[in-house]
Amino acid sequence: MAETEVAQVRFGIVGCANIARKVARAINLASNSILHAIASRSIDKAKRFASDNGLDPRVKIYGSYDQLLDDPSVDAVYMPLPTSLHVHWAVMAAQKGKHVLIEKPTALDVGELDTILEACQSNGLQFMDGSMWLHHPRTVKMKEMLFDSKLLGDVNYIYSTSTTSASPEFFENDIRVKGNLDSLGALGDLGWYCLGAVLWAKNYQLPTVVTALPDVTTNSDGVIVSCSASIQYKEPSSSGATTNAIIHCSFLADTSMDLTITGSKGSLNLNDFIIPQRESSASFEFTLGAKFVDLHIGWNVKPERVVVNCDELPQEGLMVEEFTRVVAGIRTTPGVLPDPKWPEISRKTQMLVDAVKKSVDLGCKPVYF
């Protein structure tokens, strides 16, 4: 690689899943990282990935994951592997001294995730999951408004969906509906975002009780392809109200990415919270002090549309930049430690995924924290 690239964090991608195309682009768009190597279990598949995505011919191509992890030039790895493989390969990456950016869901359960986190922590390595929407400037702006006591007030209700109408080919072949590869199904793939949004809106406070709703659909392999859940915070807020949330995730419904947060003074709404409809800008609606006019024939205010530009980098590029900013600090500055914020977010999200799954397995009985 050129001399100007020496200071950049050098990434290896372990696995050539479709999502890796987007992250490979993001790695090369970000200012402080470069794609150094890719690996697949098949050298032909790795070569095809490199060709299809126009990768720099200097990118190393490996026909096994072990070869990439043994490359001393790789500083960090991105892993878009089936969830059942995460614990093995993420731990091995950490043991080889590689920082870990991993696709969600992070693991099959929080016990597996703790094994990964321990391997990263004991080796002084940064861990982050691939929840790209958290890094979008719109998310930052919404957070500012959400926790301004003069605006939304106390959060009382949260509603979040992530759905997509999958094709017959998806249900036949995709790893996300295979019990031996991604047994969490739609709950892990899509519900991760919804549950993460609930935690985000509550400043990562864990709920009191989680209950799966009796609309669960599974395939012949026992994998969840559609489900809903209720998340309750029974500790009253300063206004005396508790917080209730409903999430819905499904491979059986038309595309939706809704997020609604209602507070004691206002509400916030958007319908593309995971992937903005436009890469360069995104918006949300904010309503403050809404009431009905006389005879209830209308409202006294219209929602305010707040537009947030994302000109410099797409959200996945911002995710890579944040990850590599920490990694670069650890590499170059004595005493700098991994940022504990990101593993904590992942762990709490995994805990909620586990709770919904446990409730489903118990016949939709409540699971308490």
Side-chain angles (χ1 to χ4, degrees):
M1 299 294 179
E3 289 184 9
T4 55
E5 296 169 354
V6 172
Q8 293 178 308
V9 172
R10 294 162 296 191
F11 265 92
I13 294 181
V14 180
C16 295
N18 193 47
I19 187 66
R21 298 170 58 221
K22 178 188 283 192
V23 178
R25 171 178 176 255
I27 290 168
N28 286 328
L29 284 174
S31 62
N32 50 2
S33 62
I34 190 164
L35 183 56
H36 175 79
I38 59 170
S40 176
R41 291 173 298 174
S42 159
I43 189 69
D44 290 337
K45 185 175 180 180
K47 289 179 178 178
R48 188 164 58 250
F49 180 91
S51 175
D52 291 347
N53 292 282
L55 299 186
D56 190 310
R58 293 174 294 175
V59 173
K60 292 186 177 180
I61 300 174
Y62 293 116
S64 77
Y65 304 153
D66 295 279
Q67 287 178 314
L68 186 147
L69 296 181
D70 285 334
D71 185 337
S73 296
V74 172
D75 303 307
V77 293
Y78 166 64
M79 290 191 168
L81 297 173
T83 309
S84 61
L85 302 181
H86 283 185
V87 66
H88 174 81
W89 290 108
V91 168
M92 185 171 290
Q95 290 172 344
K96 301 279 187 178
K98 318 299 186 188
H99 301 268
V100 177
L101 174 61
I102 199 166
E103 262 313 316
K104 46 78 203 142
T106 53
L108 294 177
D109 55 51
V110 76
E112 284 194 356
L113 177 56
D114 282 344
T115 300
I116 296 171
L117 297 182
E118 170 57 30
C120 289
Q121 183 177 7
S122 63
N123 288 284
L125 301 166
Q126 184 63 48
F127 174 93
M128 182 187 286
D129 78 59
S131 297
M132 302 173 189
W133 76 278
L134 292 173
H135 303 269
H136 197 287
R138 175 177 63 178
T139 306
V140 176
K141 180 64 176 178
M142 290 192 299
K143 192 86 167 184
E144 291 173 358
M145 299 181 72
L146 186 60
F147 292 102
D148 185 334
S149 60
K150 297 178 182 178
L151 296 177
L152 243 76
D154 294 315
V155 173
N156 298 329
Y157 177 69
I158 306 161
Y159 173 73
S160 180
T161 72
S162 180
T163 64
T164 186
S165 183
S167 67
E169 291 76 21
F170 177 94
F171 286 112
E172 183 68 27
N173 300 313
D174 199 276
I175 63 170
R176 286 166 288 183
V177 291
K178 303 295 184 183
N180 63 329
L181 296 174
D182 268 290
S183 59
L184 295 172
L187 173 60
D189 184 47
L190 304 177
W192 182 275
Y193 295 118
C194 302
L195 294 166
V198 172
L199 285 167
W200 172 84
K202 291 294 292 180
N203 206 23
Y204 294 98
Q205 175 189 350
L206 287 170
T208 309
V209 59
V210 171
T211 310
L213 303 183
D215 66 342
V216 181
T217 303
T218 59
N219 66 6
S220 59
D221 216 12
V223 175
I224 295 170
V225 295
S226 182
C227 73
S228 305
S230 165
I231 299 96
Q232 295 178 296
Y233 291 81
K234 292 191 175 180
E235 282 294 323
S237 63
S238 59
S239 66
T242 58
T243 303
N244 295 297
I246 297 291
I247 67 103
H248 177 64
C249 55
S250 177
F251 292 141
L252 305 174
D254 194 36
T255 300
S256 72
M257 296 179 177
D258 299 333
L259 178 59
T260 295
I261 303 170
T262 304
S264 55
K265 298 179 181 178
S267 62
L268 181 154
N269 297 273
L270 62 160
N271 57 13
D272 61 347
F273 85 94
I274 303 167
I275 302 174
Q277 292 170 357
R278 294 180 59 194
E279 187 174 67
S280 60
S281 68
S283 65
F284 62 95
E285 290 188 342
F286 176 72
T287 307
L288 181 64
K291 298 182 183 300
F292 300 127
V293 299
D294 191 30
L295 299 181
H296 289 203
I297 57 174
W299 292 44
N300 66 326
V301 295
K302 290 182 179 180
E304 174 191 354
R305 184 168 178 260
V306 180
V307 178
V308 181
N309 291 326
C310 191
D311 297 325
E312 295 183 8
L313 283 174
Q315 61 181 9
E316 57 269 15
L318 294 169
M319 174 185 73
V320 170
E321 280 211 336
E322 172 61 17
F323 179 76
T324 51
R325 179 191 64 79
V326 181
V327 170
I330 295 169
R331 289 172 58 208
T332 60
T333 308
V336 171
L337 300 174
D339 187 345
K341 168 186 174 181
W342 300 110
E344 180 184 358
I345 288 173
S346 299
R347 191 176 191 278
K348 287 184 175 180
T349 308
Q350 186 77 54
M351 289 174 70
L352 259 62
V353 170
D354 288 6
V356 175
K357 180 65 165 59
K358 182 177 180 180
S359 179
V360 168
D361 293 343
L362 292 173
C364 299
K365 292 183 179 179
V367 173
Y368 294 90
F369 280 85

